Amino acid sequence: MTVMKDPAMANEPQPRRRGPGVLAPIAILFAAAMLAGGFAGYNQAAVEAGNAALAPWVGPLVAFLFGAGALTLYFRRHVDTWRSWSPRKRLYWVSLAFSFALGIVIAVLMQAGQMNGAAEIFSNAALSPTTGLLLAALWVGGLGIAMVFYHRSIDDHERYAYQLGAVAGFYAFVIPCPVWWVLWRADIAPPIDAMALFVLALTVNLAVYLWFKFR
């Protein structure tokens, strides 16, 4: 007895389970950063209005818990795929996860260690000596470890994108820095803000890197 198949069913595409991609983790990181920024904005508005503000570590802690939870669920969903990857590819993702955790820890310490009730992460508010030393050690040591993991795991395509992003970030610093400096000396511009230049260079670096990585 021959069983006739429905042509519509035969031509119907079979659902495929999607593998992990890089866009979802990036979206999670940006969402966590925006969440921390939202808490910082709320605290700043509360201080300006004369109301009680939340503890400065609340926002970064909530952002960390959100990011860690979302990434954990994402990794658990694709655990079989992770196990099938090469050690080099797994090391790449470890470097990204380590960098994320390092950034959140630094953000928590920066907000919790600020004096005079400052709520902004990139403000110039005074820090306690202990917090300053700890942040400096975390930045140098943690970034050094992350970079070793990262550069041992990337391929030629990503290395090319990384180098172009680094060059763009370099120009985003060396061009405006002396211009700002001479304008400040001429009483035309405010004093140089090192963190503003850092954020500008980092933003340009990231934008160029992502463009050449995913184009």
Side-chain angles (χ1 to χ4, degrees), residues 2 8 11 47 81 94-95 149 168 178 183:
T2 303
N11 296 329
V47 170
T81 304
V94 167
S95 68
F149 289 164
L183 292 179

Side-chain angles (χ1 to χ4, degrees), residues 51 59 65 69 89 118 130 153 181 184:
N51 299 324
L65 294 176
K89 193 170 185 178
T130 301
S153 63
W181 180 59
W184 164 69

Side-chain angles (χ1 to χ4, degrees), residues 113-135:
Q114 289 183 123
M115 301 177 179
N116 303 324
E120 296 181 1
I121 294 178
F122 296 114
S123 72
N124 291 321
L127 294 170
S128 66
T130 301
T131 302
L133 290 173
L134 185 57
L135 285 170

Side-chain angles (χ1 to χ4, degrees), residues 1 5 20 37 43 48 57 75 80 96 111 132 141 180 190 199-200 206:
M1 179 177 179
K5 294 183 179 181
N43 271 356
E48 293 176 354
W57 50 265
F75 293 152
D80 293 336
L96 295 184
Q111 284 201 331
W180 194 346
V199 172
L200 173 63
L206 181 62

Side-chain angles (χ1 to χ4, degrees), residues 83-96:
R83 291 172 179 170
S84 67
W85 281 359
S86 66
R88 182 176 180 178
K89 193 170 185 178
R90 287 199 297 266
L91 183 62
Y92 173 79
W93 282 94
V94 167
S95 68
L96 295 184

